[in-house]
Structures are given as C-alpha cells and as structure tokens.
Amino acid sequence: GEILTTLEKLRWTASRGEGVLAEEVRDVGLMTIHKRAAVNYVPYGVIGAIVSWNYPFHNIYGPMISALFAGNAFIGKTSEYSSYYASYYEKIVRAGLKHLGQPEELVTFVTGFAEAGEAVVDFTDKVTFIGSPGVGKLVMKRASETLTPVLLELGGKDPAIILEDADLDQVIPIILRGTFQNCGQNCVGLERILLHESIHDKVVQTLVDKVKPLTQGASSQSTKDLGAMTMGAASIKKIQKLVDDSVAAGAKVLVGGKATSDYFFPPTIISNVDETTPIANEEVFGPILVVMKFKSDDDAVRIVNDCPYGLGSSVFSKNVARAQAISDRLKTGMCNINDFGINYLCQSLPFGGVKISGFDRFAGVEGLRGNCVVRASTSDRIPFVKTLIPAPLQYPIKDEAFPFMENLSKVIYGTIGQFVGGVVYLINFKPTK
C-alpha cells in the first residue's frame, strides 16, 4: 500500500508540479495599475523530515519527493525502529540523482535518537515531523529557538460515522481494513466506529463474527491477517493499560483484549464506549476496534468533535447530502463520504489535521508549495511609466499632504459624489513651493 501511494505521488508531482510552482500573476487595483504583480515559489534551501516507522518507505520518500521537486536539498531522519532501511533507501535515491546528472548529496538519510532529530531541526530551513503530539511539541520547542517553520502530523483518532441507511456490504470490510491494516498502526486508521443505535447490535455481531477467526503471527512464516507491534513491549504495555482502564470505566471487551506476548496484541473489539472513556480520547495505534453508539446526526457530530484529535474522518450513508451536511460540521482536517482514507490516494489533495493532530499540510498543491518561500514581487509593466511620489507627499511633508491624501482616497474608493469632489480638488490642486 505505501508503495502504491508513493507511486501516485510521483505521478501527480511529475504531471502537475511545474504548473503548481509556476509564477502566478496577480491582479492589481487602480493605485497600482501600472505594475505587474506576481508570486514566485522560491525553494527554502534544505528541507528536513523526522518521520515515523509505521510506513518506512512512504514516510521518508513522500516529503523528499516534494522537497526535491521544489528545488531543495533534503535531510531525512528515519525512526530508530526502522533505521535498517535507511541506507538502502538512500542508495536508491542517490542512484536516481546520479542518473539525472544531479549531485548525489542533495539527499541524505540519517539515523539515531533524539540528538539526531535535534540536529535535523537545527540545520534545516523547514522541518516536517510525523509522530506523536508529545514529541511534536518537543520538535516545535526546538524549532522555536531558530524560528524554523515546522509541519506537524501528530496522529489521529479517526471516526467513521455509520448512519442507519449505510450500505453495510460496503461498510463492514472497510471497517475491518481501516481498523486492522498494519495491525492498527496507522495515523489515519479508524479508531472510533460510531454506529446509529438502530443498527448497532446487528453491526456489532457481524463484526464479532468477522474478527474472531482473524489470524496473527509472523508473516515471514506464513500468511497472517495481522502482524506484530513494531515497538514491542512498549506498545503492548500502553495498549493493555488503555483497554484495562476503559473496561474499568464501563467498556466491554467482545473479542480479544489481552496481549499474547510482548509483540502481539490480538484483534480486539471493545464496545459500550462513550466520549468519556479513556480509549475514546487517546490514539491506540493498535488492533482495537472501538464501537460507539449515537442517536442522531447532532449526537454523532458532538461525539466526534469532543475528541482532542482531528485528523481524518468518514461518514457512510446512502443519502449523500445528509452525509455531506454531517461532514461539514466535523472538526477534522479531512473527510471521506462513503469511503475511508481514499483522500491520500488523491495526491492532489492536502493531507493534515487540526487540534492536537497538528498543522500545515503535505501532499497536493498546498503541500508542494509548502516547500517554498512564497515571495511577492512587482515590476513596471507599462514602458516609461514609473512610480513617482506626488509633490505634497515628498519630504519635507507639507500641510496640504493631508487633504491631498483625503481627496485621492475619495477618488479611488469613495462614492460617486466623493469621487466628483475629489477629482475637482485634485485638478485644482497647486502644491506650495
């Protein structure tokens, strides 16, 4: 999946990128009608990225593709949990740069712990960080010392609102894929399944029947539905505590719920969850299908927006207008109607969230331009017509400067009556010597 998304990013960038970064000529007003106004997208210089381990190929290649295309050099720090791949991925890129006659040193991938990340922040001109809100705040704090701009993608608690008229034949497989893909280790994974009360019991029973037979283990040995938790015991401990605390708060485990080792947490379904339950407010980043019940559209919107995260979301209904109306009220950076995560395969779209899910965007027009300084410029567009300072406004300032400016403003921005009066004043104006 991550290779497919990366290929689509390459296709979109190659086909649309030059137009996105081309100079834009902007309109001017009467005051500046003799000027050509333009916006240019100028490379920052060196773009840095500190990325997570859950999609090691795309997470490092995605920001690199945009940075290079926009004219920057790139330094990327891979996660210490996926550093094994760093040198191999770097060799691929450098071989491509060499083939194109470009300096191989335009791209460098580094490994290490916190000090390596700090160096990336200190010595680049803009930084992308993909990770947790806690570490994101540390990156932002470090960047504040040099006023280095940052793009933060800090995970999510993405909801799927399933209305009573949704196509369940479509929805059930999407719920399973959205929850358990990559063993739930997805920033835009479905972490909250909101079911309308009229279909709640039916859908839950269907999900239980589907989840119970799922297999888990090392894919190197045989084909499995779910693999391991990449961070091992650290993830297992966090997930188990979150499940246990939620059960203590009234939630019910319907499938799974107990770790089987320091590396494997089984596919789990937990229900009877409301917006006060711990697992409804913290990103799990694991194979936990959290079910919540709602009574009305307003109720669903309230539950979704009560969460501190705001990355992606989904709404499922045969009534597209109704689904769109709900979507418009959700405090998230992205939303898909009758789908999950498909927006990221539309590489023309920006990717990012709100609230503690972060800010700024990568991908799309906004993401590509985010690798540039947005520079405004003007130049003369009419031969021999230049900007001249009117005599009453030249230094030293004279008393008639104020009525001159007042009447000039009336001519350009005033009513018809003010325009006429201003014109008469300016025609008859005689500066003092």
Side-chain angles (χ1 to χ4, degrees):
E2 60 174 324
I3 293 177
L4 191 66
T5 306
T6 308
L7 292 174
E8 176 59 20
K9 186 178 186 72
L10 284 167
R11 183 207 65 79
W12 182 86
T13 305
S15 64
R16 302 290 185 181
E18 288 189 32
V20 168
L21 299 179
E23 181 183 68
E24 289 183 49
V25 177
R26 299 286 178 89
D27 63 292
V28 296
L30 186 60
M31 279 281 290
T32 53
I33 197 169
H34 61 299
K35 289 292 180 178
R36 179 183 185 273
V39 173
N40 296 97
Y41 297 95
V42 182
Y44 267 107
V46 180
I47 298 292
I50 304 169
V51 301
S52 56
W53 44 262
N54 55 328
Y55 290 102
F57 181 80
H58 179 75
N59 283 354
I60 196 71
Y61 271 29
M64 179 206 70
I65 290 167
S66 296
L68 284 180
F69 194 91
N72 301 281
F74 180 80
I75 299 175
K77 179 195 174 298
T78 61
S79 168
E80 56 270 30
Y81 287 93
S82 59
S83 57
Y84 173 80
Y85 303 100
S87 61
Y88 177 62
Y89 290 164
E90 183 186 80
K91 286 178 182 177
I92 294 174
V93 179
R94 289 191 166 187
L97 289 170
K98 183 178 180 180
H99 178 74
L100 295 172
Q102 299 297 324
E104 297 177 35
E105 296 77 14
L106 279 174
V107 172
T108 300
F109 293 163
V110 299
T111 60
F113 296 94
E115 67 278 6
E118 290 172 353
V120 172
V121 175
D122 291 346
F123 296 103
T124 56
D125 299 299
K126 183 177 180 179
V127 177
T128 291
F129 173 75
I130 303 173
S132 68
V135 179
K137 291 177 181 178
L138 295 177
V139 170
M140 192 173 177
K141 182 179 180 181
R142 183 80 179 196
S144 71
E145 296 177 8
T146 51
L147 294 181
T148 300
V150 296
L151 183 162
L152 300 179
E153 195 276 86
L154 306 178
K157 193 72 185 169
D158 288 12
I161 299 174
I162 318 298
L163 300 176
E164 70 275 13
D165 66 342
D167 179 357
L168 297 183
D169 289 337
Q170 179 209 17
V171 168
I172 297 299
I174 286 179
I175 291 176
L176 296 174
R177 168 60 66 178
T179 302
F180 297 120
Q181 177 176 300
N182 205 26
C183 207
Q185 297 165 116
N186 306 288
C187 58
V188 289
L190 293 181
E191 293 227 355
R192 292 179 290 164
I193 307 302
L194 278 68
L195 299 173
H196 188 273
E197 60 181 1
S198 65
I199 60 170
H200 175 275
D201 294 350
K202 174 185 176 182
V203 173
V204 168
Q205 186 56 55
T206 301
L207 291 171
V208 169
D209 294 341
K210 294 281 188 181
V211 171
K212 278 184 176 180
L214 294 182
T215 59
Q216 186 172 40
S219 60
S220 58
Q221 299 174 1
S222 61
T223 300
K224 301 292 183 181
D225 295 308
L226 287 85
M229 304 308 299
T230 302
M231 293 178 68
S235 287
I236 296 292
K237 182 179 179 181
K238 173 195 169 186
I239 294 171
Q240 190 66 69
K241 184 177 188 307
L242 204 49
V243 170
D244 293 345
D245 288 349
S246 297
V247 170
K252 296 179 180 179
V253 173
L254 305 180
V255 180
K258 292 293 181 182
T260 56
S261 75
D262 281 347
Y263 291 95
F264 294 101
F265 200 98
T268 295
I269 298 178
I270 183 169
S271 67
N272 202 37
V273 173
D274 63 27
E275 58 270 29
T276 66
T277 308
I279 206 165
N281 292 289
E282 293 187 40
E283 185 179 36
V284 179
F285 226 63
I288 313 295
L289 199 163
V290 176
V291 179
M292 307 176 77
K293 185 188 297 186
F294 69 92
K295 297 179 180 180
S296 65
D297 295 3
D298 288 345
D299 193 30
V301 171
R302 179 187 58 79
I303 292 171
V304 169
N305 291 343
D306 248 1
C307 181
Y309 287 92
L311 191 55
S313 56
S314 299
V315 184
F316 291 87
S317 173
K318 292 177 182 176
N319 186 336
V320 175
R322 178 186 176 195
Q324 187 65 59
I326 292 173
S327 168
D328 291 344
R329 298 166 61 194
L330 301 181
K331 295 178 181 178
T332 61
M334 303 168 288
C335 188
N336 295 290
I337 305 297
N338 290 322
D339 214 325
F340 150 74
I342 194 71
N343 60 286
Y344 203 38
L345 274 175
C346 302
Q347 280 290 309
S348 60
L349 295 176
F351 184 98
V354 297
K355 300 194 282 188
I356 68 168
S357 289
F359 48 78
D360 206 345
R361 298 292 185 266
F362 52 78
V365 172
E366 296 79 5
L368 185 55
R369 288 177 175 174
N371 290 273
C372 300
V373 175
V374 182
R375 178 179 292 168
S377 66
T378 65
S379 58
D380 294 327
R381 71 184 183 93
I382 303 175
F384 310 113
V385 177
K386 300 179 180 180
T387 299
L388 299 175
I389 305 298
L393 302 183
Q394 295 179 12
Y395 288 106
I397 298 294
K398 303 175 180 64
D399 289 341
E400 62 259 30
F402 298 98
F404 179 88
M405 283 301 300
E406 179 184 0
N407 282 277
L408 180 62
S409 299
K410 289 177 180 179
V411 169
I412 299 174
Y413 305 109
T415 64
I416 293 177
Q418 291 173 327
F419 169 80
V420 172
V423 169
V424 171
Y425 175 88
L426 294 177
I427 290 175
N428 292 297
F429 176 80
K430 294 180 181 180
T432 56
K433 295 182 179 180

